[in-house]
């Protein structure tokens, strides 16, 4: 099961006292995996919800999704466009409270996405 593999990775990280930089944001460093909180999501592609222990003792856990089977390059381009638009809107005193996230393609049809906590997805907004 995937928890066995995550536990093995976690044991290797913690036994060697490693601090690993996150590819999504190199300012963030992890010191382990919170295996009990990791799970597969209930969507079609079954992305893996990973909860990583922040190396900063005062920092919150770092949550990322690992997806396989989706080409995340389009997500990356779209988010780059949103970042440009957000900058333009902000310069014109239009503050839309958008929470943009980072995405990185780690291979063909796979990658990692930063999870923005305390926010609503577009699907949740449409449902309301």
């Amino acid at each position: 099961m995937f928890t066995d593999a995550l536990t093995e990775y976690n044991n290797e990280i913690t036994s060697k006292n490693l601090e690993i930089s996150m590819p999504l944001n190199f300012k963030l460093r992890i010191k382990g995996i919170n295996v009990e909180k990791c799970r597969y999501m209930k969507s079609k592609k079954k992305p893996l919800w990973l909860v990583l222990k922040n190396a900063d003792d005062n920092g919150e856990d770092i949550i990322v999704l690992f997806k396989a089977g989706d080409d995340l390059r389009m997500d990356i381009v779209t988010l780059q466009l949103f970042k440009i638009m957000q900058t333009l809107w902000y310069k014109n005193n239009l503050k839309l409270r958008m929470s943009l996230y980072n995405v990185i393609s780690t291979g063909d049809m796979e990658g990692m996405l930063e999870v923005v906590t305390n926010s609503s997805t577009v699907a949740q907004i449409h449902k309301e």
Side-chain angles (χ1 to χ4, degrees), residues 41 43 45-50 64-72 75 103-113:
M41 301 298 291
S43 63
K45 300 289 183 179
K46 301 251 186 259
L48 181 57
W49 178 278
L50 295 171
V64 297
L65 282 179
F66 181 80
K67 287 182 90 172
D70 276 341
D71 186 358
L72 296 176
D75 296 53
V103 177
I104 187 168
S105 179
T106 58
D108 187 33
M109 303 295 281
E110 67 181 29
M112 294 177 78
L113 298 92

PDB file of all heavy atoms in Angstrom, residues 41 43 45-50 64-72 75 103-113:
ATOM      1  N   MET A  41      -7.171  11.437  -3.377  1.00  0.00           N
ATOM      2  CA  MET A  41      -8.384  12.237  -3.524  1.00  0.00           C
ATOM      3  C   MET A  41      -9.415  11.427  -4.318  1.00  0.00           C
ATOM      4  O   MET A  41      -9.080  10.463  -4.996  1.00  0.00           O
ATOM      5  CB  MET A  41      -8.074  13.551  -4.249  1.00  0.00           C
ATOM      6  CG  MET A  41      -7.034  14.407  -3.541  1.00  0.00           C
ATOM      7  SD  MET A  41      -7.545  14.928  -1.910  1.00  0.00           S
ATOM      8  CE  MET A  41      -8.837  16.059  -2.310  1.00  0.00           C
ATOM      9  N   SER A  43     -11.178  12.185  -6.940  1.00  0.00           N
ATOM     10  CA  SER A  43     -11.465  12.599  -8.314  1.00  0.00           C
ATOM     11  C   SER A  43     -11.001  11.530  -9.302  1.00  0.00           C
ATOM     12  O   SER A  43     -10.410  10.518  -8.912  1.00  0.00           O
ATOM     13  CB  SER A  43     -10.784  13.943  -8.607  1.00  0.00           C
ATOM     14  OG  SER A  43      -9.386  13.809  -8.519  1.00  0.00           O
ATOM     15  N   LYS A  45      -8.637  11.194 -11.579  1.00  0.00           N
ATOM     16  CA  LYS A  45      -7.219  10.846 -11.701  1.00  0.00           C
ATOM     17  C   LYS A  45      -6.594  10.399 -10.376  1.00  0.00           C
ATOM     18  O   LYS A  45      -5.430  10.041 -10.332  1.00  0.00           O
ATOM     19  CB  LYS A  45      -6.424  12.030 -12.264  1.00  0.00           C
ATOM     20  CG  LYS A  45      -6.875  12.485 -13.628  1.00  0.00           C
ATOM     21  CD  LYS A  45      -6.503  11.481 -14.683  1.00  0.00           C
ATOM     22  CE  LYS A  45      -6.924  12.016 -16.055  1.00  0.00           C
ATOM     23  NZ  LYS A  45      -6.591  11.143 -17.118  1.00  0.00           N
ATOM     24  N   LYS A  46      -7.352  10.461  -9.284  1.00  0.00           N
ATOM     25  CA  LYS A  46      -6.891  10.025  -7.959  1.00  0.00           C
ATOM     26  C   LYS A  46      -5.556  10.667  -7.555  1.00  0.00           C
ATOM     27  O   LYS A  46      -4.574   9.967  -7.288  1.00  0.00           O
ATOM     28  CB  LYS A  46      -6.762   8.510  -7.907  1.00  0.00           C
ATOM     29  CG  LYS A  46      -8.044   7.777  -8.206  1.00  0.00           C
ATOM     30  CD  LYS A  46      -8.581   7.144  -6.958  1.00  0.00           C
ATOM     31  CE  LYS A  46      -9.785   6.285  -7.258  1.00  0.00           C
ATOM     32  NZ  LYS A  46     -11.017   6.901  -6.949  1.00  0.00           N
ATOM     33  N   PRO A  47      -5.491  12.011  -7.523  1.00  0.00           N
ATOM     34  CA  PRO A  47      -4.233  12.643  -7.100  1.00  0.00           C
ATOM     35  C   PRO A  47      -3.910  12.305  -5.643  1.00  0.00           C
ATOM     36  O   PRO A  47      -4.809  12.032  -4.846  1.00  0.00           O
ATOM     37  CB  PRO A  47      -4.495  14.135  -7.276  1.00  0.00           C
ATOM     38  CG  PRO A  47      -5.971  14.279  -7.278  1.00  0.00           C
ATOM     39  CD  PRO A  47      -6.535  12.985  -7.803  1.00  0.00           C
ATOM     40  N   LEU A  48      -2.640  12.320  -5.339  1.00  0.00           N
ATOM     41  CA  LEU A  48      -2.172  11.990  -3.999  1.00  0.00           C
ATOM     42  C   LEU A  48      -2.015  13.274  -3.192  1.00  0.00           C
ATOM     43  O   LEU A  48      -1.290  14.181  -3.582  1.00  0.00           O
ATOM     44  CB  LEU A  48      -0.835  11.253  -4.088  1.00  0.00           C
ATOM     45  CG  LEU A  48      -0.186  10.793  -2.792  1.00  0.00           C
ATOM     46  CD1 LEU A  48      -1.120   9.887  -1.992  1.00  0.00           C
ATOM     47  CD2 LEU A  48       1.119  10.072  -3.084  1.00  0.00           C
ATOM     48  N   TRP A  49      -2.750  13.364  -2.075  1.00  0.00           N
ATOM     49  CA  TRP A  49      -2.708  14.493  -1.147  1.00  0.00           C
ATOM     50  C   TRP A  49      -1.576  14.209  -0.168  1.00  0.00           C
ATOM     51  O   TRP A  49      -1.633  13.258   0.592  1.00  0.00           O
ATOM     52  CB  TRP A  49      -4.049  14.574  -0.429  1.00  0.00           C
ATOM     53  CG  TRP A  49      -4.208  15.633   0.608  1.00  0.00           C
ATOM     54  CD1 TRP A  49      -3.799  15.573   1.904  1.00  0.00           C
ATOM     55  CD2 TRP A  49      -4.868  16.882   0.461  1.00  0.00           C
ATOM     56  NE1 TRP A  49      -4.161  16.705   2.574  1.00  0.00           N
ATOM     57  CE2 TRP A  49      -4.822  17.537   1.708  1.00  0.00           C
ATOM     58  CE3 TRP A  49      -5.505  17.525  -0.598  1.00  0.00           C
ATOM     59  CZ2 TRP A  49      -5.379  18.785   1.923  1.00  0.00           C
ATOM     60  CZ3 TRP A  49      -6.054  18.764  -0.378  1.00  0.00           C
ATOM     61  CH2 TRP A  49      -5.990  19.382   0.859  1.00  0.00           C
ATOM     62  N   LEU A  50      -0.506  15.015  -0.232  1.00  0.00           N
ATOM     63  CA  LEU A  50       0.660  14.797   0.625  1.00  0.00           C
ATOM     64  C   LEU A  50       0.768  15.911   1.654  1.00  0.00           C
ATOM     65  O   LEU A  50       0.716  17.094   1.306  1.00  0.00           O
ATOM     66  CB  LEU A  50       1.942  14.783  -0.218  1.00  0.00           C
ATOM     67  CG  LEU A  50       2.083  13.645  -1.217  1.00  0.00           C
ATOM     68  CD1 LEU A  50       3.283  13.884  -2.129  1.00  0.00           C
ATOM     69  CD2 LEU A  50       2.235  12.325  -0.485  1.00  0.00           C
ATOM     70  N   VAL A  64       0.660  19.429  -0.594  1.00  0.00           N
ATOM     71  CA  VAL A  64       0.773  19.421  -2.050  1.00  0.00           C
ATOM     72  C   VAL A  64      -0.043  18.264  -2.610  1.00  0.00           C
ATOM     73  O   VAL A  64      -0.338  17.298  -1.913  1.00  0.00           O
ATOM     74  CB  VAL A  64       2.245  19.299  -2.524  1.00  0.00           C
ATOM     75  CG1 VAL A  64       3.062  20.493  -2.079  1.00  0.00           C
ATOM     76  CG2 VAL A  64       2.871  18.012  -2.061  1.00  0.00           C
ATOM     77  N   LEU A  65      -0.410  18.393  -3.870  1.00  0.00           N
ATOM     78  CA  LEU A  65      -1.044  17.300  -4.608  1.00  0.00           C
ATOM     79  C   LEU A  65      -0.046  16.797  -5.630  1.00  0.00           C
ATOM     80  O   LEU A  65       0.616  17.589  -6.303  1.00  0.00           O
ATOM     81  CB  LEU A  65      -2.283  17.789  -5.361  1.00  0.00           C
ATOM     82  CG  LEU A  65      -3.557  18.012  -4.591  1.00  0.00           C
ATOM     83  CD1 LEU A  65      -4.644  18.519  -5.524  1.00  0.00           C
ATOM     84  CD2 LEU A  65      -4.015  16.752  -3.908  1.00  0.00           C
ATOM     85  N   PHE A  66       0.063  15.488  -5.734  1.00  0.00           N
ATOM     86  CA  PHE A  66       0.848  14.895  -6.810  1.00  0.00           C
ATOM     87  C   PHE A  66      -0.142  14.246  -7.762  1.00  0.00           C
ATOM     88  O   PHE A  66      -0.931  13.394  -7.366  1.00  0.00           O
ATOM     89  CB  PHE A  66       1.841  13.857  -6.288  1.00  0.00           C
ATOM     90  CG  PHE A  66       2.669  13.274  -7.384  1.00  0.00           C
ATOM     91  CD1 PHE A  66       3.753  13.966  -7.885  1.00  0.00           C
ATOM     92  CD2 PHE A  66       2.330  12.058  -7.951  1.00  0.00           C
ATOM     93  CE1 PHE A  66       4.513  13.448  -8.928  1.00  0.00           C
ATOM     94  CE2 PHE A  66       3.075  11.530  -8.995  1.00  0.00           C
ATOM     95  CZ  PHE A  66       4.171  12.222  -9.480  1.00  0.00           C
ATOM     96  N   LYS A  67      -0.121  14.710  -9.022  1.00  0.00           N
ATOM     97  CA  LYS A  67      -1.066  14.202 -10.018  1.00  0.00           C
ATOM     98  C   LYS A  67      -0.319  13.463 -11.111  1.00  0.00           C
ATOM     99  O   LYS A  67       0.746  13.897 -11.547  1.00  0.00           O
ATOM    100  CB  LYS A  67      -1.832  15.357 -10.666  1.00  0.00           C
ATOM    101  CG  LYS A  67      -2.870  15.994  -9.770  1.00  0.00           C
ATOM    102  CD  LYS A  67      -3.602  17.085 -10.497  1.00  0.00           C
ATOM    103  CE  LYS A  67      -4.813  16.518 -11.189  1.00  0.00           C
ATOM    104  NZ  LYS A  67      -5.671  17.575 -11.751  1.00  0.00           N
ATOM    105  N   ALA A  68      -0.887  12.370 -11.559  1.00  0.00           N
ATOM    106  CA  ALA A  68      -0.374  11.639 -12.715  1.00  0.00           C
ATOM    107  C   ALA A  68      -1.523  11.458 -13.697  1.00  0.00           C
ATOM    108  O   ALA A  68      -2.661  11.238 -13.295  1.00  0.00           O
ATOM    109  CB  ALA A  68       0.178  10.285 -12.283  1.00  0.00           C
ATOM    110  N   GLY A  69      -1.230  11.604 -14.981  1.00  0.00           N
ATOM    111  CA  GLY A  69      -2.263  11.431 -15.997  1.00  0.00           C
ATOM    112  C   GLY A  69      -2.818  12.733 -16.525  1.00  0.00           C
ATOM    113  O   GLY A  69      -3.689  12.720 -17.390  1.00  0.00           O
ATOM    114  N   ASP A  70      -2.342  13.876 -16.040  1.00  0.00           N
ATOM    115  CA  ASP A  70      -2.757  15.186 -16.535  1.00  0.00           C
ATOM    116  C   ASP A  70      -1.526  15.938 -17.023  1.00  0.00           C
ATOM    117  O   ASP A  70      -0.470  15.902 -16.391  1.00  0.00           O
ATOM    118  CB  ASP A  70      -3.417  16.023 -15.427  1.00  0.00           C
ATOM    119  CG  ASP A  70      -4.885  15.708 -15.240  1.00  0.00           C
ATOM    120  OD1 ASP A  70      -5.489  15.131 -16.159  1.00  0.00           O
ATOM    121  OD2 ASP A  70      -5.425  16.051 -14.180  1.00  0.00           O
ATOM    122  N   ASP A  71      -1.693  16.647 -18.139  1.00  0.00           N
ATOM    123  CA  ASP A  71      -0.623  17.499 -18.640  1.00  0.00           C
ATOM    124  C   ASP A  71      -0.736  18.839 -17.915  1.00  0.00           C
ATOM    125  O   ASP A  71      -1.629  19.633 -18.208  1.00  0.00           O
ATOM    126  CB  ASP A  71      -0.758  17.673 -20.146  1.00  0.00           C
ATOM    127  CG  ASP A  71       0.410  18.423 -20.758  1.00  0.00           C
ATOM    128  OD1 ASP A  71       1.310  18.847 -19.995  1.00  0.00           O
ATOM    129  OD2 ASP A  71       0.424  18.580 -21.986  1.00  0.00           O
ATOM    130  N   LEU A  72       0.121  19.068 -16.954  1.00  0.00           N
ATOM    131  CA  LEU A  72       0.025  20.265 -16.117  1.00  0.00           C
ATOM    132  C   LEU A  72       0.644  21.501 -16.759  1.00  0.00           C
ATOM    133  O   LEU A  72       0.585  22.586 -16.184  1.00  0.00           O
ATOM    134  CB  LEU A  72       0.674  19.998 -14.755  1.00  0.00           C
ATOM    135  CG  LEU A  72      -0.022  18.925 -13.925  1.00  0.00           C
ATOM    136  CD1 LEU A  72       0.747  18.657 -12.642  1.00  0.00           C
ATOM    137  CD2 LEU A  72      -1.445  19.328 -13.606  1.00  0.00           C
ATOM    138  N   ASP A  75      -1.893  24.208 -17.085  1.00  0.00           N
ATOM    139  CA  ASP A  75      -2.155  24.833 -15.785  1.00  0.00           C
ATOM    140  C   ASP A  75      -1.087  25.883 -15.490  1.00  0.00           C
ATOM    141  O   ASP A  75      -1.390  26.973 -15.002  1.00  0.00           O
ATOM    142  CB  ASP A  75      -2.154  23.788 -14.670  1.00  0.00           C
ATOM    143  CG  ASP A  75      -3.266  22.769 -14.790  1.00  0.00           C
ATOM    144  OD1 ASP A  75      -3.385  22.170 -15.868  1.00  0.00           O
ATOM    145  OD2 ASP A  75      -4.000  22.578 -13.806  1.00  0.00           O
ATOM    146  N   VAL A 103       2.509  25.424  -9.540  1.00  0.00           N
ATOM    147  CA  VAL A 103       2.399  24.123 -10.196  1.00  0.00           C
ATOM    148  C   VAL A 103       3.743  23.845 -10.861  1.00  0.00           C
ATOM    149  O   VAL A 103       4.353  24.744 -11.428  1.00  0.00           O
ATOM    150  CB  VAL A 103       1.291  24.122 -11.283  1.00  0.00           C
ATOM    151  CG1 VAL A 103       1.239  22.794 -12.019  1.00  0.00           C
ATOM    152  CG2 VAL A 103      -0.050  24.458 -10.688  1.00  0.00           C
ATOM    153  N   ILE A 104       4.196  22.597 -10.777  1.00  0.00           N
ATOM    154  CA  ILE A 104       5.426  22.206 -11.463  1.00  0.00           C
ATOM    155  C   ILE A 104       5.194  20.864 -12.138  1.00  0.00           C
ATOM    156  O   ILE A 104       4.599  19.958 -11.558  1.00  0.00           O
ATOM    157  CB  ILE A 104       6.626  22.160 -10.491  1.00  0.00           C
ATOM    158  CG1 ILE A 104       7.926  21.909 -11.242  1.00  0.00           C
ATOM    159  CG2 ILE A 104       6.435  21.140  -9.418  1.00  0.00           C
ATOM    160  CD1 ILE A 104       9.171  22.126 -10.421  1.00  0.00           C
ATOM    161  N   SER A 105       5.633  20.773 -13.379  1.00  0.00           N
ATOM    162  CA  SER A 105       5.566  19.513 -14.109  1.00  0.00           C
ATOM    163  C   SER A 105       6.830  18.736 -13.773  1.00  0.00           C
ATOM    164  O   SER A 105       7.935  19.227 -13.963  1.00  0.00           O
ATOM    165  CB  SER A 105       5.474  19.802 -15.609  1.00  0.00           C
ATOM    166  OG  SER A 105       5.428  18.608 -16.332  1.00  0.00           O
ATOM    167  N   THR A 106       6.659  17.526 -13.253  1.00  0.00           N
ATOM    168  CA  THR A 106       7.810  16.718 -12.857  1.00  0.00           C
ATOM    169  C   THR A 106       8.126  15.636 -13.888  1.00  0.00           C
ATOM    170  O   THR A 106       9.066  14.881 -13.707  1.00  0.00           O
ATOM    171  CB  THR A 106       7.571  16.052 -11.484  1.00  0.00           C
ATOM    172  OG1 THR A 106       6.395  15.254 -11.562  1.00  0.00           O
ATOM    173  CG2 THR A 106       7.431  17.092 -10.402  1.00  0.00           C
ATOM    174  N   GLY A 107       7.333  15.577 -14.931  1.00  0.00           N
ATOM    175  CA  GLY A 107       7.543  14.588 -15.976  1.00  0.00           C
ATOM    176  C   GLY A 107       6.399  14.645 -16.963  1.00  0.00           C
ATOM    177  O   GLY A 107       5.503  15.494 -16.852  1.00  0.00           O
ATOM    178  N   ASP A 108       6.426  13.751 -17.936  1.00  0.00           N
ATOM    179  CA  ASP A 108       5.364  13.704 -18.917  1.00  0.00           C
ATOM    180  C   ASP A 108       4.072  13.258 -18.241  1.00  0.00           C
ATOM    181  O   ASP A 108       4.001  12.161 -17.681  1.00  0.00           O
ATOM    182  CB  ASP A 108       5.745  12.719 -20.027  1.00  0.00           C
ATOM    183  CG  ASP A 108       4.760  12.735 -21.173  1.00  0.00           C
ATOM    184  OD1 ASP A 108       4.196  13.811 -21.458  1.00  0.00           O
ATOM    185  OD2 ASP A 108       4.548  11.672 -21.780  1.00  0.00           O
ATOM    186  N   MET A 109       3.083  14.141 -18.235  1.00  0.00           N
ATOM    187  CA  MET A 109       1.753  13.848 -17.688  1.00  0.00           C
ATOM    188  C   MET A 109       1.762  13.620 -16.170  1.00  0.00           C
ATOM    189  O   MET A 109       0.996  12.814 -15.649  1.00  0.00           O
ATOM    190  CB  MET A 109       1.124  12.640 -18.387  1.00  0.00           C
ATOM    191  CG  MET A 109       0.991  12.780 -19.881  1.00  0.00           C
ATOM    192  SD  MET A 109      -0.148  14.080 -20.361  1.00  0.00           S
ATOM    193  CE  MET A 109      -1.706  13.252 -20.121  1.00  0.00           C
ATOM    194  N   GLU A 110       2.642  14.328 -15.451  1.00  0.00           N
ATOM    195  CA  GLU A 110       2.639  14.247 -13.988  1.00  0.00           C
ATOM    196  C   GLU A 110       3.231  15.523 -13.423  1.00  0.00           C
ATOM    197  O   GLU A 110       3.962  16.246 -14.093  1.00  0.00           O
ATOM    198  CB  GLU A 110       3.410  13.034 -13.485  1.00  0.00           C
ATOM    199  CG  GLU A 110       4.891  13.072 -13.749  1.00  0.00           C
ATOM    200  CD  GLU A 110       5.615  11.838 -13.243  1.00  0.00           C
ATOM    201  OE1 GLU A 110       5.020  10.762 -13.197  1.00  0.00           O
ATOM    202  OE2 GLU A 110       6.793  11.987 -12.885  1.00  0.00           O
ATOM    203  N   GLY A 111       2.885  15.803 -12.159  1.00  0.00           N
ATOM    204  CA  GLY A 111       3.438  16.988 -11.529  1.00  0.00           C
ATOM    205  C   GLY A 111       2.859  17.226 -10.149  1.00  0.00           C
ATOM    206  O   GLY A 111       2.082  16.427  -9.631  1.00  0.00           O
ATOM    207  N   MET A 112       3.286  18.347  -9.562  1.00  0.00           N
ATOM    208  CA  MET A 112       2.870  18.715  -8.209  1.00  0.00           C
ATOM    209  C   MET A 112       2.171  20.060  -8.238  1.00  0.00           C
ATOM    210  O   MET A 112       2.534  20.949  -9.003  1.00  0.00           O
ATOM    211  CB  MET A 112       4.094  18.820  -7.296  1.00  0.00           C
ATOM    212  CG  MET A 112       4.796  17.509  -7.064  1.00  0.00           C
ATOM    213  SD  MET A 112       6.262  17.722  -6.046  1.00  0.00           S
ATOM    214  CE  MET A 112       5.498  17.863  -4.442  1.00  0.00           C
ATOM    215  N   LEU A 113       1.163  20.176  -7.372  1.00  0.00           N
ATOM    216  CA  LEU A 113       0.423  21.415  -7.228  1.00  0.00           C
ATOM    217  C   LEU A 113       0.417  21.814  -5.759  1.00  0.00           C
ATOM    218  O   LEU A 113       0.207  20.972  -4.879  1.00  0.00           O
ATOM    219  CB  LEU A 113      -1.034  21.245  -7.673  1.00  0.00           C
ATOM    220  CG  LEU A 113      -1.290  20.873  -9.110  1.00  0.00           C
ATOM    221  CD1 LEU A 113      -1.368  19.380  -9.272  1.00  0.00           C
ATOM    222  CD2 LEU A 113      -2.558  21.517  -9.579  1.00  0.00           C
TER     223      LEU A 113
END
